[in-house]
PDB file of all heavy atoms in Angstrom:
ATOM      1  N   PRO B1307      90.440  89.768 125.673  1.00 94.00           N
ATOM      2  CA  PRO B1307      90.566  91.206 125.754  1.00 94.00           C
ATOM      3  C   PRO B1307      90.071  91.750 127.112  1.00 94.00           C
ATOM      4  O   PRO B1307      89.479  91.105 127.884  1.00 94.00           O
ATOM      5  CB  PRO B1307      89.598  91.687 124.606  1.00 94.00           C
ATOM      6  CG  PRO B1307      88.570  90.655 124.511  1.00 94.00           C
ATOM      7  CD  PRO B1307      89.283  89.331 124.835  1.00 94.00           C
ATOM      8  N   ALA B1308      90.540  92.992 127.401  1.00 93.00           N
ATOM      9  CA  ALA B1308      90.173  93.633 128.687  1.00 93.00           C
ATOM     10  C   ALA B1308      88.668  93.707 128.817  1.00 93.00           C
ATOM     11  O   ALA B1308      88.076  93.554 129.890  1.00 93.00           O
ATOM     12  CB  ALA B1308      90.798  95.042 128.829  1.00 93.00           C
ATOM     13  N   LEU B1309      87.991  93.924 127.685  1.00 93.00           N
ATOM     14  CA  LEU B1309      86.549  94.155 127.637  1.00 93.00           C
ATOM     15  C   LEU B1309      85.965  93.080 126.732  1.00 93.00           C
ATOM     16  O   LEU B1309      86.439  92.945 125.609  1.00 93.00           O
ATOM     17  CB  LEU B1309      86.054  95.421 127.214  1.00 93.00           C
ATOM     18  CG  LEU B1309      86.519  96.674 128.098  1.00 93.00           C
ATOM     19  CD1 LEU B1309      86.116  98.013 127.368  1.00 93.00           C
ATOM     20  CD2 LEU B1309      85.845  96.605 129.483  1.00 93.00           C
ATOM     21  N   ALA B1310      85.016  92.280 127.135  1.00 91.00           N
ATOM     22  CA  ALA B1310      84.378  91.205 126.339  1.00 91.00           C
ATOM     23  C   ALA B1310      83.682  91.902 125.068  1.00 91.00           C
ATOM     24  O   ALA B1310      83.626  91.260 124.002  1.00 91.00           O
ATOM     25  CB  ALA B1310      83.318  90.499 127.153  1.00 91.00           C
ATOM     26  N   GLU B1311      83.294  93.125 125.180  1.00 94.00           N
ATOM     27  CA  GLU B1311      82.610  93.828 124.065  1.00 94.00           C
ATOM     28  C   GLU B1311      83.597  94.098 122.905  1.00 94.00           C
ATOM     29  O   GLU B1311      83.222  94.489 121.866  1.00 94.00           O
ATOM     30  CB  GLU B1311      82.066  95.122 124.538  1.00 94.00           C
ATOM     31  CG  GLU B1311      80.808  94.957 125.428  1.00 94.00           C
ATOM     32  CD  GLU B1311      81.203  94.541 126.764  1.00 94.00           C
ATOM     33  OE1 GLU B1311      82.405  94.783 127.321  1.00 94.00           O
ATOM     34  OE2 GLU B1311      80.416  93.813 127.506  1.00 94.00           O
ATOM     35  N   ASP B1312      84.879  93.892 123.180  1.00 96.00           N
ATOM     36  CA  ASP B1312      85.910  94.128 122.083  1.00 96.00           C
ATOM     37  C   ASP B1312      85.993  92.955 121.206  1.00 96.00           C
ATOM     38  O   ASP B1312      86.725  92.984 120.076  1.00 96.00           O
ATOM     39  CB  ASP B1312      87.273  94.388 122.737  1.00 96.00           C
ATOM     40  CG  ASP B1312      87.390  95.726 123.390  1.00 96.00           C
ATOM     41  OD1 ASP B1312      86.441  96.608 123.050  1.00 96.00           O
ATOM     42  OD2 ASP B1312      88.267  95.921 124.279  1.00 96.00           O
ATOM     43  N   LYS B1313      85.340  91.794 121.501  1.00 97.00           N
ATOM     44  CA  LYS B1313      85.463  90.569 120.624  1.00 97.00           C
ATOM     45  C   LYS B1313      84.595  90.773 119.362  1.00 97.00           C
ATOM     46  O   LYS B1313      83.517  91.407 119.372  1.00 97.00           O
ATOM     47  CB  LYS B1313      84.874  89.414 121.373  1.00 97.00           C
ATOM     48  CG  LYS B1313      85.770  89.111 122.627  1.00 97.00           C
ATOM     49  CD  LYS B1313      85.261  87.836 123.338  1.00 97.00           C
ATOM     50  CE  LYS B1313      86.069  87.334 124.452  1.00 97.00           C
ATOM     51  NZ  LYS B1313      85.647  86.156 125.098  1.00 97.00           N
ATOM     52  N   TYR B1314      85.012  90.234 118.275  1.00 98.00           N
ATOM     53  CA  TYR B1314      84.366  90.267 117.044  1.00 98.00           C
ATOM     54  C   TYR B1314      84.594  89.063 116.243  1.00 98.00           C
ATOM     55  O   TYR B1314      85.550  88.312 116.484  1.00 98.00           O
ATOM     56  CB  TYR B1314      84.694  91.546 116.148  1.00 98.00           C
ATOM     57  CG  TYR B1314      86.165  91.615 115.870  1.00 98.00           C
ATOM     58  CD1 TYR B1314      86.680  91.094 114.717  1.00 98.00           C
ATOM     59  CD2 TYR B1314      86.979  92.420 116.700  1.00 98.00           C
ATOM     60  CE1 TYR B1314      88.090  91.195 114.440  1.00 98.00           C
ATOM     61  CE2 TYR B1314      88.413  92.467 116.380  1.00 98.00           C
ATOM     62  CZ  TYR B1314      88.841  91.958 115.277  1.00 98.00           C
ATOM     63  OH  TYR B1314      90.228  92.003 114.990  1.00 98.00           O
ATOM     64  N   THR B1315      83.777  88.795 115.319  1.00 98.00           N
ATOM     65  CA  THR B1315      83.863  87.592 114.398  1.00 98.00           C
ATOM     66  C   THR B1315      83.935  88.039 112.994  1.00 98.00           C
ATOM     67  O   THR B1315      83.416  89.018 112.571  1.00 98.00           O
ATOM     68  CB  THR B1315      82.553  86.743 114.549  1.00 98.00           C
ATOM     69  OG1 THR B1315      82.613  86.173 115.894  1.00 98.00           O
ATOM     70  CG2 THR B1315      82.431  85.664 113.538  1.00 98.00           C
ATOM     71  N   ARG B1316      84.681  87.209 112.138  1.00 98.00           N
ATOM     72  CA  ARG B1316      84.868  87.542 110.750  1.00 98.00           C
ATOM     73  C   ARG B1316      84.611  86.294 109.781  1.00 98.00           C
ATOM     74  O   ARG B1316      84.693  85.196 110.247  1.00 98.00           O
ATOM     75  CB  ARG B1316      86.408  87.878 110.466  1.00 98.00           C
ATOM     76  CG  ARG B1316      86.983  88.939 111.315  1.00 98.00           C
ATOM     77  CD  ARG B1316      88.314  89.326 110.807  1.00 98.00           C
ATOM     78  NE  ARG B1316      89.200  88.231 110.954  1.00 98.00           N
ATOM     79  CZ  ARG B1316      90.371  88.031 110.240  1.00 98.00           C
ATOM     80  NH1 ARG B1316      90.743  88.948 109.325  1.00 98.00           N
ATOM     81  NH2 ARG B1316      91.170  86.970 110.396  1.00 98.00           N
ATOM     82  N   GLY B1317      84.194  86.673 108.617  1.00 98.00           N
ATOM     83  CA  GLY B1317      84.244  85.714 107.563  1.00 98.00           C
ATOM     84  C   GLY B1317      85.459  86.157 106.773  1.00 98.00           C
ATOM     85  O   GLY B1317      85.663  87.325 106.511  1.00 98.00           O
ATOM     86  N   VAL B1318      86.318  85.177 106.413  1.00 98.00           N
ATOM     87  CA  VAL B1318      87.655  85.362 105.912  1.00 98.00           C
ATOM     88  C   VAL B1318      87.885  84.474 104.582  1.00 98.00           C
ATOM     89  O   VAL B1318      87.561  83.338 104.620  1.00 98.00           O
ATOM     90  CB  VAL B1318      88.785  85.268 106.845  1.00 98.00           C
ATOM     91  CG1 VAL B1318      90.094  85.790 106.326  1.00 98.00           C
ATOM     92  CG2 VAL B1318      88.501  85.787 108.134  1.00 98.00           C
ATOM     93  N   ILE B1319      88.587  84.964 103.674  1.00 99.00           N
ATOM     94  CA  ILE B1319      89.120  84.214 102.628  1.00 99.00           C
ATOM     95  C   ILE B1319      90.676  84.457 102.502  1.00 99.00           C
ATOM     96  O   ILE B1319      91.142  85.487 102.479  1.00 99.00           O
ATOM     97  CB  ILE B1319      88.534  84.513 101.294  1.00 99.00           C
ATOM     98  CG1 ILE B1319      86.998  84.239 101.266  1.00 99.00           C
ATOM     99  CG2 ILE B1319      89.135  83.735 100.142  1.00 99.00           C
ATOM    100  CD1 ILE B1319      86.328  84.649  99.895  1.00 99.00           C
ATOM    101  N   TYR B1320      91.302  83.265 102.664  1.00 99.00           N
ATOM    102  CA  TYR B1320      92.812  83.221 102.461  1.00 99.00           C
ATOM    103  C   TYR B1320      93.194  82.653 101.120  1.00 99.00           C
ATOM    104  O   TYR B1320      92.591  81.731 100.660  1.00 99.00           O
ATOM    105  CB  TYR B1320      93.451  82.441 103.575  1.00 99.00           C
ATOM    106  CG  TYR B1320      93.251  83.038 104.929  1.00 99.00           C
ATOM    107  CD1 TYR B1320      92.302  82.392 105.887  1.00 99.00           C
ATOM    108  CD2 TYR B1320      93.915  84.074 105.468  1.00 99.00           C
ATOM    109  CE1 TYR B1320      92.063  82.816 107.099  1.00 99.00           C
ATOM    110  CE2 TYR B1320      93.750  84.418 106.752  1.00 99.00           C
ATOM    111  CZ  TYR B1320      92.881  83.859 107.616  1.00 99.00           C
ATOM    112  OH  TYR B1320      92.682  84.315 108.906  1.00 99.00           O
ATOM    113  N   LYS B1321      94.313  83.134 100.586  1.00 98.00           N
ATOM    114  CA  LYS B1321      94.910  82.558  99.389  1.00 98.00           C
ATOM    115  C   LYS B1321      96.312  82.024  99.773  1.00 98.00           C
ATOM    116  O   LYS B1321      97.177  82.756 100.258  1.00 98.00           O
ATOM    117  CB  LYS B1321      95.154  83.709  98.339  1.00 98.00           C
ATOM    118  CG  LYS B1321      95.713  83.231  97.031  1.00 98.00           C
ATOM    119  CD  LYS B1321      95.932  84.384  96.088  1.00 98.00           C
ATOM    120  CE  LYS B1321      96.711  84.013  94.843  1.00 98.00           C
ATOM    121  NZ  LYS B1321      96.934  85.134  93.883  1.00 98.00           N
ATOM    122  N   ILE B1322      96.448  80.743  99.626  1.00 98.00           N
ATOM    123  CA  ILE B1322      97.676  80.017 100.105  1.00 98.00           C
ATOM    124  C   ILE B1322      98.647  79.661  98.920  1.00 98.00           C
ATOM    125  O   ILE B1322      98.054  78.942  97.923  1.00 98.00           O
ATOM    126  CB  ILE B1322      97.368  78.791 100.985  1.00 98.00           C
ATOM    127  CG1 ILE B1322      96.681  79.262 102.155  1.00 98.00           C
ATOM    128  CG2 ILE B1322      98.588  77.950 101.166  1.00 98.00           C
ATOM    129  CD1 ILE B1322      95.956  78.123 102.982  1.00 98.00           C
ATOM    130  N   ASP B1323      99.758  79.966  98.805  1.00 98.00           N
ATOM    131  CA  ASP B1323     100.749  79.602  97.760  1.00 98.00           C
ATOM    132  C   ASP B1323     101.495  78.404  98.520  1.00 98.00           C
ATOM    133  O   ASP B1323     102.344  78.603  99.393  1.00 98.00           O
ATOM    134  CB  ASP B1323     101.672  80.666  97.401  1.00 98.00           C
ATOM    135  CG  ASP B1323     102.613  80.296  96.322  1.00 98.00           C
ATOM    136  OD1 ASP B1323     103.040  79.175  96.178  1.00 98.00           O
ATOM    137  OD2 ASP B1323     102.860  81.189  95.441  1.00 98.00           O
ATOM    138  N   GLN B1324     101.191  77.178  97.954  1.00 98.00           N
ATOM    139  CA  GLN B1324     101.673  75.985  98.623  1.00 98.00           C
ATOM    140  C   GLN B1324     103.158  75.763  98.294  1.00 98.00           C
ATOM    141  O   GLN B1324     103.824  75.074  99.029  1.00 98.00           O
ATOM    142  CB  GLN B1324     100.911  74.759  98.148  1.00 98.00           C
ATOM    143  CG  GLN B1324      99.474  74.895  98.579  1.00 98.00           C
ATOM    144  CD  GLN B1324      98.669  73.640  98.320  1.00 98.00           C
ATOM    145  OE1 GLN B1324      98.227  72.973  99.273  1.00 98.00           O
ATOM    146  NE2 GLN B1324      98.563  73.210  97.098  1.00 98.00           N
ATOM    147  N   LYS B1325     103.730  76.379  97.181  1.00 98.00           N
ATOM    148  CA  LYS B1325     105.017  76.170  96.804  1.00 98.00           C
ATOM    149  C   LYS B1325     105.969  77.182  97.777  1.00 98.00           C
ATOM    150  O   LYS B1325     106.926  76.778  98.287  1.00 98.00           O
ATOM    151  CB  LYS B1325     105.318  76.480  95.411  1.00 98.00           C
ATOM    152  CG  LYS B1325     104.868  75.339  94.535  1.00 98.00           C
ATOM    153  CD  LYS B1325     105.301  75.566  93.014  1.00 98.00           C
ATOM    154  CE  LYS B1325     105.056  74.359  92.131  1.00 98.00           C
ATOM    155  NZ  LYS B1325     105.429  74.655  90.735  1.00 98.00           N
ATOM    156  N   LYS B1326     105.507  78.434  97.820  1.00 98.00           N
ATOM    157  CA  LYS B1326     106.173  79.416  98.573  1.00 98.00           C
ATOM    158  C   LYS B1326     105.859  79.357 100.043  1.00 98.00           C
ATOM    159  O   LYS B1326     106.520  79.993 100.875  1.00 98.00           O
ATOM    160  CB  LYS B1326     105.917  80.720  98.083  1.00 98.00           C
ATOM    161  CG  LYS B1326     106.317  81.042  96.663  1.00 98.00           C
ATOM    162  CD  LYS B1326     106.008  82.474  96.217  1.00 98.00           C
ATOM    163  CE  LYS B1326     106.432  82.768  94.729  1.00 98.00           C
ATOM    164  NZ  LYS B1326     106.136  84.093  94.302  1.00 98.00           N
ATOM    165  N   MET B1327     104.832  78.577 100.502  1.00 98.00           N
ATOM    166  CA  MET B1327     104.434  78.428 101.925  1.00 98.00           C
ATOM    167  C   MET B1327     104.078  79.810 102.523  1.00 98.00           C
ATOM    168  O   MET B1327     104.492  80.206 103.547  1.00 98.00           O
ATOM    169  CB  MET B1327     105.590  77.777 102.727  1.00 98.00           C
ATOM    170  CG  MET B1327     105.798  76.322 102.398  1.00 98.00           C
ATOM    171  SD  MET B1327     104.371  75.333 102.915  1.00 98.00           S
ATOM    172  CE  MET B1327     104.686  75.147 104.707  1.00 98.00           C
ATOM    173  N   THR B1328     103.250  80.605 101.679  1.00 98.00           N
ATOM    174  CA  THR B1328     102.738  81.887 102.090  1.00 98.00           C
ATOM    175  C   THR B1328     101.346  81.915 102.158  1.00 98.00           C
ATOM    176  O   THR B1328     100.638  81.065 101.483  1.00 98.00           O
ATOM    177  CB  THR B1328     103.266  83.054 101.206  1.00 98.00           C
ATOM    178  OG1 THR B1328     102.871  82.757  99.793  1.00 98.00           O
ATOM    179  CG2 THR B1328     104.814  83.055 101.231  1.00 98.00           C
ATOM    180  N   VAL B1329     100.750  82.832 102.856  1.00 98.00           N
ATOM    181  CA  VAL B1329      99.300  83.092 102.933  1.00 98.00           C
ATOM    182  C   VAL B1329      98.921  84.587 102.830  1.00 98.00           C
ATOM    183  O   VAL B1329      99.600  85.362 103.511  1.00 98.00           O
ATOM    184  CB  VAL B1329      98.663  82.493 104.194  1.00 98.00           C
ATOM    185  CG1 VAL B1329      99.292  83.030 105.448  1.00 98.00           C
ATOM    186  CG2 VAL B1329      97.247  82.649 104.190  1.00 98.00           C
ATOM    187  N   GLU B1330      97.977  84.881 101.948  1.00 98.00           N
ATOM    188  CA  GLU B1330      97.471  86.216 101.826  1.00 98.00           C
ATOM    189  C   GLU B1330      96.067  86.233 102.177  1.00 98.00           C
ATOM    190  O   GLU B1330      95.251  85.436 101.771  1.00 98.00           O
ATOM    191  CB  GLU B1330      97.605  86.618 100.313  1.00 98.00           C
ATOM    192  CG  GLU B1330      97.186  88.048 100.033  1.00 98.00           C
ATOM    193  CD  GLU B1330      97.135  88.359  98.532  1.00 98.00           C
ATOM    194  OE1 GLU B1330      97.580  87.640  97.751  1.00 98.00           O
ATOM    195  OE2 GLU B1330      96.534  89.435  98.257  1.00 98.00           O
TER     196      GLU B1330
END
């Protein structure tokens, strides 16, 4: 980013449908 202060960190949970090859 233009400014280092714009960086952030997340904890995330993804749900993956392995048949449809999608991620939510």
Side-chain angles (χ1 to χ4, degrees):
L1309 298 173
E1311 292 72 29
D1312 291 339
K1313 296 181 181 183
Y1314 57 87
T1315 290
R1316 305 185 302 155
V1318 192
I1319 298 176
Y1320 295 105
K1321 178 183 177 182
I1322 296 168
D1323 187 320
Q1324 299 188 115
K1325 285 187 173 179
K1326 296 180 180 177
M1327 292 290 284
T1328 59
V1329 57
E1330 177 191 351

